Amino acid sequence: MGPQFQLQMDDEGRLVLPDEMIARYNLRPGTQIYLDEQGNGLSLRRPVTQLAKIYIEPTGYCNLACRMCLRNLFHEPQGHMDMAVYRRIIAGIKELPSPPQVFFGGFGEPLAHPKIIEMVIEARSVAQSVELITNGTLLTAERSRQLIDAGLDVLWLSLDGTTPESYADVRLGAELPQVLENIEGFRKMRRPSHRPKPEMGVAFVAMRRNIAELPTLLSWSSRLGVSRYLVTNVLPYTEDMCAEVLYHRVLHQITYVTSKWVPNLDLPRFEVSETTREALYQVLRGGQNLILNGDNLGRANDRCPFISRGTTAIAWDGGLSPCLPLMHDHESYIETRRKRFSRRYVVGNLAEHSLVELWNLPEYVAFRQRVQEFDFSPCTVCGGCDLSEANEEDCYGNVFPTCGGCLWAQGIIQCP
């Protein structure tokens, strides 16, 4: 749970914000803050002025060829982040009003960078917290000890199968027994504590071929020492992978709810048991606009998780982008045969500009404001037209980069 602030109304009817809140969220005169009504309460959205989390892609290289990875179709050059560029990031973090989170990840394997331990140490000296995601194959005993000693806060592990056969079917080039041995070694090396550090998390990419193994993976918590799980849908980068998606009905439901009047179904929290299982299954497939404990599950999200969390993403070559999906050129499929090309959007390069300079660039601030309002055409649920085939422009008049076809914004795909 984040910090709580008490807002007061002055004699002239204006909200007065505490100085601590103004500093933490980098609020400036004229900053717009959205107030949303959610369920039984009100919530303030994070202002677009605060940089709260930085994704850093240490390298473009990876030692695996995972079935669902964007890298299988890469046509871009690959390399390691230059340490001179990295230290410009560190210098920029020092200039921020409040320290952000740093997350080492992207589309390469972070542990493949020869100086990743040095990078973690330097990030830990300036960041609020430091997290890293790995496929676990390079998590040797030596590397595990180095990460722990470096002060890493959270280690995320990509696990998409619970048998050697199913795991190897997804993570091509990896062997599950060796990965589990590496994880076990890391777990044992942590200093004994009620909440050992680094925390350990598992990221699971759900597909038709592996979804039945999710319950088994969750039952491994005590064995693996895992305290966090994140499940995401697969984003198909090839037509063959379209057969693996588990959200066709979700997209159709959004279309149905937003296109015509349907009744609301307001549910409380339920015990899921043999008594309720079948009834709940039928209800959830019934086509109503579902509201669960005050959260509307049926409507379109239209909320960018990257902008709402105050994040930015920096590729291995120093290019700064608003989010992970815009960090590299790629093709993907919203639904079968609905191919969409997303062109990379780089605000600027850290080799030439400072982090604070790029974050405050008027063009970039305006983009974040536009995404927060999310007045984009609904390409994820629309029948499709030529404009939906790329992020260049949309039928609402928005120009590159457009976000109406983003599955992250609809809660379909998510990242740690």
Side-chain angles (χ1 to χ4, degrees):
M1 185 176 181
Q4 293 183 329
F5 300 99
Q6 184 175 5
L7 281 60
Q8 293 182 331
M9 191 80 72
D10 66 13
D11 294 337
E12 298 182 14
R14 296 174 299 189
L15 278 177
V16 178
L17 307 182
D19 292 340
E20 182 184 355
M21 181 179 180
I22 293 173
R24 178 181 178 86
Y25 296 106
N26 193 19
L27 298 175
R28 307 169 187 171
T31 299
Q32 292 184 349
I33 305 178
Y34 286 87
L35 180 66
D36 293 330
E37 184 174 356
Q38 296 183 346
N40 297 322
L42 298 173
S43 65
L44 286 172
R45 293 196 208 176
R46 185 188 305 275
V48 299
T49 52
Q50 187 203 16
L51 178 51
K53 184 172 184 177
I54 303 174
Y55 285 96
I56 299 176
E57 182 181 61
T59 180
Y61 293 117
C62 186
N63 60 325
L64 301 183
C66 299
R67 185 178 298 277
M68 67 294 187
C69 185
L70 161 68
R71 296 173 42 78
N72 295 325
L73 302 174
F74 254 5
H75 300 294
E76 301 179 5
Q78 300 177 22
H80 295 309
M81 178 174 284
D82 187 274
M83 288 302 287
V85 170
Y86 179 71
R87 293 206 167 98
R88 288 179 66 89
I89 300 173
I90 297 299
I93 291 176
K94 293 178 181 178
E95 297 176 14
L96 296 174
S98 57
Q101 300 175 16
V102 169
F103 190 102
F104 290 103
F107 296 95
E109 167 54 46
L111 295 186
H113 194 292
K115 295 189 176 181
I116 187 61
I117 301 302
E118 187 177 338
M119 298 171 85
V120 171
I121 292 173
E122 293 190 23
R124 195 64 197 87
S125 69
V126 296
Q128 176 184 328
S129 62
V130 179
E131 303 183 16
L132 182 148
I133 190 168
T134 176
N135 58 41
T137 58
L138 303 180
L139 192 66
T140 62
E142 179 184 6
R143 187 53 51 87
S144 294
R145 171 56 61 197
Q146 291 173 334
L147 288 171
I148 294 170
D149 291 343
L152 185 70
D153 291 284
V154 184
L155 179 72
W156 285 92
L157 301 144
S158 296
L159 286 177
D160 310 299
T162 58
T163 67
E165 296 76 18
S166 63
Y167 180 82
D169 182 50
V170 175
R171 299 275 168 182
L172 307 183
E175 297 180 357
L176 182 61
Q178 182 61 58
V179 171
L180 293 178
E181 182 179 328
N182 292 346
I183 296 172
E184 176 69 6
F186 183 89
R187 183 185 70 82
K188 289 182 177 179
M189 283 186 188
R190 298 184 301 172
R191 297 174 182 86
S193 171
H194 177 63
R195 296 197 66 177
K197 185 180 175 182
E199 287 188 64
M200 297 172 65
V202 165
F204 179 89
V205 180
M207 296 173 275
R208 289 189 181 275
R209 70 177 60 217
N210 70 351
I211 188 62
E213 299 187 41
L214 180 57
T216 301
L217 181 62
L218 297 178
S219 71
W220 285 3
S221 294
S222 58
R223 171 185 173 186
L224 299 179
V226 171
S227 58
R228 307 184 186 192
Y229 282 96
L230 181 134
V231 180
T232 181
N233 281 294
V234 66
L235 179 63
Y237 295 110
T238 64
E239 190 168 358
D240 290 343
M241 289 303 295
C242 290
E244 297 290 341
V245 304
L246 299 169
Y247 50 82
H248 282 305
R249 287 181 60 90
V250 175
L251 292 179
H252 295 159
Q253 178 73 2
I254 292 174
T255 305
Y256 182 53
V257 169
T258 57
S259 63
K260 61 185 290 188
W261 172 259
V262 294
N264 288 337
L265 173 59
D266 201 333
L267 295 176
R269 295 182 180 181
F270 263 108
E271 174 184 332
V272 179
S273 64
E274 292 184 0
T275 303
T276 63
R277 181 173 55 195
E278 181 61 27
L280 288 176
Y281 173 74
Q282 295 297 334
V283 165
L284 292 175
R285 289 173 57 93
Q288 292 85 7
N289 179 28
L290 293 176
I291 301 172
L292 181 61
N293 197 33
D295 291 327
N296 192 328
L297 305 182
R299 61 172 173 75
N301 255 30
D302 289 348
R303 182 73 62 84
C304 172
F306 299 99
I307 299 299
S308 63
R309 294 173 187 166
T311 67
T312 198
I314 304 173
W316 70 266
D317 61 2
L320 183 146
S321 300
C323 60
L324 292 176
L326 288 174
M327 198 158 50
H328 298 287
D329 290 344
H330 66 275
E331 291 182 346
S332 62
Y333 289 79
I334 298 177
E335 285 193 284
T336 304
R337 295 184 298 278
R338 289 184 60 196
K339 184 187 294 187
R340 180 178 174 87
F341 175 74
S342 291
R343 179 159 62 96
R344 183 186 189 191
Y345 175 45
V346 176
V347 178
N349 197 290
L350 269 297
E352 304 167 353
H353 305 278
S354 73
L355 176 63
V356 173
E357 178 185 359
L358 292 178
W359 178 254
N360 293 324
L361 201 66
E363 173 191 340
Y364 188 17
V365 175
F367 173 77
R368 298 198 301 269
Q369 188 68 49
R370 180 157 53 103
V371 175
Q372 193 174 65
E373 295 169 358
F374 214 85
D375 190 21
F376 295 101
S377 57
C379 297
T380 54
V381 298
C382 179
C385 67
D386 291 345
L387 294 179
S388 70
E389 296 174 359
N391 65 340
E392 299 292 339
E393 59 178 315
D394 66 22
C395 58
Y396 284 11
N398 296 297
V399 295
F400 174 81
T402 58
C403 301
C406 178
L407 294 177
W408 276 265
Q410 301 306 332
I412 303 293
I413 312 293
Q414 55 181 356
C415 301

